[in-house]
Amino acid sequence: FYGLAQTGQRQWQAAEAAAEQTPPVQQKEYAPNKGAGGVMEMISKLIQDSENLRAEATKTEVAAQAAYEALVRDTNGSVEALQKEIVSKMDAISGAKKDKMQADSDLQSAVTELSDLAKSNGQLHQECDYLLKNFDLRQKTRGEEVESLQQAKQILSGASLS
């Protein structure tokens, strides 16, 4: 027990003696070292170069952003124009399809009408051929009929058939 008490007392005395022995350190005023002038210039040049590089990078980034925005504007404008062109072409295609359907319908009607006219022509042609073929026979028959009627008229009027 006495050994521990003595070591604690010694530590306390040593700390007290240390506090009394160290005088406060006087700080000198800061002055650049005369031999370090080149190093300081190099550091200040490095700082200046980095600031210039940062300013140039910022300026380049702003220009790139403006160019990108212009590109997006132009692209959006051309996309809108192309979409309008697509819509107008789709309308034109739709109109052309309607016109084609109408033309097909008209063509079908014309073909049907021509077919009907061809049938009528064929029937009329057959009738005309029949009339032309039998024209001489009919004319002869009509002539005989007219002659018979004249004879009958003469007989009725009192003429003799001699």
Side-chain angles (χ1 to χ4, degrees):
F1 170 77
Y2 291 111
L4 287 178
Q6 285 182 349
T7 47
Q9 188 177 7
R10 283 188 206 153
Q11 287 177 351
W12 180 72
Q13 287 175 352
E16 196 175 289
E20 290 178 11
Q21 288 181 1
T22 46
V25 178
Q26 290 286 331
Q27 292 228 346
K28 296 181 183 178
E29 189 173 318
Y30 177 76
N33 189 349
K34 295 189 179 169
V39 173
M40 292 305 287
E41 282 181 31
M42 191 168 54
I43 290 175
S44 66
K45 185 178 182 212
L46 192 66
I47 290 171
Q48 184 65 32
D49 287 347
S50 67
E51 287 176 0
N52 290 341
L53 187 63
R54 185 173 44 121
E56 184 180 329
T58 303
K59 188 169 89 173
T60 304
E61 184 178 345
V62 167
Q65 181 68 27
Y68 173 76
E69 288 172 0
L71 175 71
V72 168
R73 253 191 325 272
D74 293 344
T75 303
N76 288 341
S78 65
V79 165
E80 287 176 15
L82 289 173
Q83 286 176 342
K84 287 179 183 177
E85 188 176 335
I86 287 171
V87 168
S88 68
K89 285 185 178 183
M90 292 299 281
D91 290 343
I93 288 172
S94 174
K97 284 182 180 179
K98 286 179 184 176
D99 291 346
K100 182 184 180 287
M101 289 174 59
Q102 183 64 38
D104 287 344
S105 174
D106 291 347
L107 176 66
Q108 188 64 32
S109 297
V111 166
T112 304
E113 187 175 342
L114 283 175
S115 175
D116 291 343
L117 288 174
K119 286 179 186 175
S120 297
N121 186 23
Q123 290 173 350
L124 287 174
H125 196 44
Q126 284 178 349
E127 288 177 16
C128 286
D129 284 348
Y130 176 76
L131 288 175
L132 287 175
K133 184 178 178 184
N134 295 321
F135 181 75
D136 291 333
L137 178 65
R138 286 180 61 177
Q139 191 150 2
K140 181 182 171 191
T141 306
R142 295 254 187 226
E144 289 174 0
E145 189 178 336
V146 168
E147 192 177 313
S148 335
L149 285 174
Q150 284 178 354
Q151 283 177 1
K153 185 177 174 187
Q154 285 177 1
I155 292 177
L156 289 174
S157 22
S160 65
L161 284 175
S162 14

